[in-house]
Amino acid sequence: MDKIAKDVGDIQSRLLDHRPIISAEVRYFVREFEEKRGHRESRLLENLNKMVPEANEQMLPTDLEGMMSDVVKLEAANHMAERVQQRELEAQQSTQLQGNMERLKDEWTDFLKAQQRLKEEVDEEHAKAVGQLSTRYTEKKKDLTKLSPL
């Protein structure tokens, strides 16, 4: 029974314990990285580490007060540009409003002309109908006067 437990333990460690394989892969990777590349990456990182502070010294402005005054000037210029933009927008809207008002006036005059024309047509039809009715009634009156002598 002890032998079976030992065999089961060995089988379990071979199947489920991946530490020996992983440690061998890590050793292989380190050997490849350090030996074959000759510490090229570490030299590159050291060079970059030296270049970063130099770039910071060259790129960063040393005159913070001058930079702040520039920021204030830029804000003022931005504010003025916004005001000019606002005025242009208002002017554009007012010209559009005027154009719309003129278009509406033209449409209104066209509408009034059409209404006047329709009114005249109705008046003509009414006058014709009144004329026809009056002639008909005068004829009827004549017929009545002929029939009843009084």
Side-chain angles (χ1 to χ4, degrees):
M1 188 67 147
D2 289 335
K3 195 173 187 178
I4 293 173
K6 183 180 178 188
D7 287 341
V8 169
D10 287 340
I11 292 171
Q12 178 190 7
S13 68
R14 285 185 184 171
L15 288 177
L16 300 175
D17 190 14
H18 301 297
R19 281 181 277 169
I21 296 170
I22 291 175
S23 62
E25 286 293 322
V26 167
R27 280 194 305 271
Y28 174 75
F29 178 77
V30 167
R31 183 169 29 94
E32 283 287 318
F33 189 75
E34 289 178 350
E35 292 174 3
K36 289 193 176 179
R37 295 187 185 196
H39 300 287
R40 180 176 43 193
E41 283 79 7
S42 61
R43 283 194 306 268
L44 287 174
L45 288 174
E46 288 173 7
N47 289 340
L48 283 174
N49 199 16
K50 290 177 186 176
M51 289 172 56
V52 167
E54 292 173 5
N56 281 340
E57 289 173 4
Q58 291 175 358
M59 298 296 275
L60 291 177
T62 56
D63 184 20
L64 190 60
E65 299 232 349
M67 195 168 70
M68 290 302 292
S69 67
D70 290 343
V71 167
V72 170
K73 289 177 187 175
L74 286 174
E75 285 178 352
N78 190 22
H79 181 67
M80 290 173 65
E82 286 175 356
R83 285 181 40 204
V84 167
Q85 240 179 354
Q86 184 67 27
R87 286 183 187 159
E88 286 180 13
L89 181 64
E90 289 171 358
Q92 184 181 20
Q93 287 176 345
S94 69
T95 56
Q96 284 178 348
L97 183 63
Q98 288 174 354
N100 287 343
M101 289 296 290
E102 289 180 19
R103 183 181 50 83
L104 288 174
K105 283 180 184 177
D106 293 339
E107 287 178 5
W108 182 251
T109 56
D110 292 343
F111 173 75
L112 289 178
K113 287 178 185 176
Q115 290 300 315
Q116 184 64 30
R117 184 178 40 81
L118 290 174
K119 179 184 175 254
E120 290 171 0
E121 288 176 6
V122 168
D123 286 344
E124 286 176 15
E125 289 177 18
H126 181 266
K128 284 181 187 176
V130 167
Q132 288 174 357
L133 284 175
S134 64
T135 56
R136 184 185 297 165
Y137 281 117
T138 55
E139 288 174 7
K140 295 278 183 185
K141 267 187 180 182
K142 285 181 187 177
D143 288 341
L144 278 176
T145 57
K146 286 181 187 176
L147 291 177
S148 65
L150 276 188

